[in-house]
Amino acid sequence: MTTVKCPTKVAILMAAYNGEFFIADQIDSIINQDCNDWTLYIRDDGSKDKTTVIIDKYVKLYPNIIRITDIKTNGGLTENFLSLLKTVHSRYYMFADQDDIWDKNKVSLSLSEIESINSTFIGPILIGSHYLACDHQMQPICPSFWNTHFGYEKMLNYNISAVQCAMAGADMIFNDALKQLIFTLPSNRLYYDHWVLLVALKHKAYVGVIPKMLRRYRQHESNVIGANIGKHNTRKQINRFFADYGLLQEIEFGSLIKYLYYRIKAIIMVKTAKKI
């Protein structure tokens, strides 16, 4: 597919699939940002509901909302996001889930932070923020993701982040220098945001944090990925454990002993994370 050049500073990349119940709320929250220096690119992955009808209504009304179409569908979440990233060329990139709601200043704060770093740092840059986990009606489930999972500052090193992804895709903003390092993904078992973070850390990018919750993350039964709040299926957890270890061998992480050490260390850090 031909590369699309983004006319604004920020390209917001939204992967859509069967999102008819919530996608309009998310698009509205982006439209209502206090910063207008963005273009929203949406790619549908073969929805079987009215998602594309909703998207096309917005495309007709707003020139800075563009639907990316191609012949490939049903490739999954990671392929959907990476297809957008391959297609769009911009100075800065943000990922958007279809069922969140962004705070009004999410783009402006993220853009201000990365531009400040970019003024003195030459090279790949990745900035993350936080989210508030909510139920399907946008009522908070817990006071802070940091409280229930981990603190960014302690988690943001290569070894810990390899075993516990410390930055969600929808909380990221990164520059084109980092994008050039991202492709190709070594295995389809790894989610796109985990790979972006690992690439940034492995290549000594500037990785920073905005200590604010800038989006509400809607948890519902149709989530492709959840926040892992609640009970776990032990068998699935064990299977995922070995799958993750196998994947890390593809990127030359190290021995099983090393993997176990950092898994245990990450679990301890999660359990002792401070409240915000």
Side-chain angles (χ1 to χ4, degrees):
M1 177 177 287
T2 304
T3 300
V4 177
K5 187 173 183 180
C6 181
T8 55
K9 287 183 179 179
V10 181
I12 302 173
L13 311 177
M14 181 185 292
Y17 179 73
N18 288 350
E20 66 177 355
F21 295 114
F22 306 120
I23 193 169
D25 289 343
Q26 168 67 313
I27 296 174
D28 286 341
S29 75
I30 295 173
I31 291 170
N32 292 324
Q33 291 292 299
D34 60 11
C35 167
N36 295 319
D37 208 351
W38 54 265
T39 303
L40 174 60
Y41 297 91
I42 309 174
R43 182 182 181 276
D44 182 77
D45 198 31
S47 292
K48 298 175 178 61
D49 60 7
K50 297 180 181 179
T51 298
T52 56
V53 175
I54 296 169
I55 294 169
D56 289 341
K57 286 181 179 179
Y58 282 97
V59 170
K60 290 178 181 178
L61 291 172
Y62 298 93
N64 57 341
I65 299 179
I66 298 169
R67 182 179 168 195
I68 299 295
T69 58
D70 55 54
I71 61 174
K72 294 184 68 176
T73 58
N74 299 121
L77 183 70
T78 290
E79 184 174 321
N80 200 355
F81 273 119
L82 293 185
S83 292
L84 280 164
L85 193 58
K86 288 177 182 178
T87 301
V88 179
H89 175 74
S90 183
R91 185 173 181 182
Y92 302 114
Y93 305 88
M94 298 177 75
F95 294 122
D97 291 339
Q98 65 181 1
D99 39 18
D100 294 342
I101 292 181
W102 284 12
D103 287 5
K104 193 172 184 177
N105 59 350
K106 178 172 170 61
V107 173
S108 61
L109 287 180
S110 301
L111 180 58
S112 176
E113 180 68 17
I114 197 169
E115 285 194 311
S116 175
I117 300 303
N118 206 33
S119 67
T120 57
F121 182 86
I122 299 175
I125 302 171
L126 173 64
I127 304 294
S129 54
H130 308 296
Y131 68 75
L132 180 65
C134 299
D135 63 20
H136 70 285
Q137 295 180 327
M138 281 301 172
Q139 296 302 309
I141 297 172
C142 56
S144 163
F145 184 60
W146 271 16
N147 180 38
T148 59
H149 225 4
F150 48 71
Y152 273 178
E153 287 86 351
K154 293 180 180 179
M155 300 291 285
L156 288 178
N157 65 70
Y158 179 76
N159 289 326
I160 293 294
S161 290
V163 301
Q164 175 73 62
C165 183
M167 191 182 294
D171 297 318
M172 295 176 172
I173 185 169
F174 56 96
N175 64 355
D176 194 62
L178 179 57
K179 173 188 170 177
Q180 302 308 316
L181 301 172
I182 288 170
F183 300 101
T184 59
L185 196 66
S187 170
N188 60 11
R189 294 195 304 269
L190 191 67
Y191 287 123
Y192 70 100
D193 47 2
H194 199 174
W195 178 241
V196 171
L197 177 60
L198 285 180
V199 167
L201 293 169
K202 192 165 187 177
H203 288 273
K204 310 300 182 184
Y206 181 98
V207 180
V209 174
I210 300 171
K212 295 180 182 293
M213 290 181 284
L214 298 179
R215 69 178 172 112
R216 282 173 282 168
Y217 177 29
R218 193 192 311 256
Q219 290 285 285
H220 56 89
E221 61 183 11
S222 298
N223 281 125
V224 176
I225 305 174
N228 295 322
I229 296 171
K231 296 181 180 180
H232 299 285
N233 183 301
T234 302
R235 184 176 179 180
K236 287 184 178 180
Q237 292 289 81
I238 293 173
N239 290 340
R240 182 59 188 266
F241 176 90
F242 286 105
D244 287 349
Y245 172 66
L247 170 64
L248 290 182
Q249 300 323 294
E250 294 182 37
I251 55 177
E252 301 177 350
F253 178 73
S255 68
L256 179 60
I257 297 299
K258 179 184 177 183
Y259 177 72
L260 286 170
Y261 171 78
Y262 283 106
R263 286 281 291 197
I264 294 169
K265 186 173 181 178
I267 291 170
I268 293 172
M269 292 168 69
V270 166
K271 296 294 185 182
T272 58
K274 294 182 178 179
K275 291 184 178 181
I276 299 180

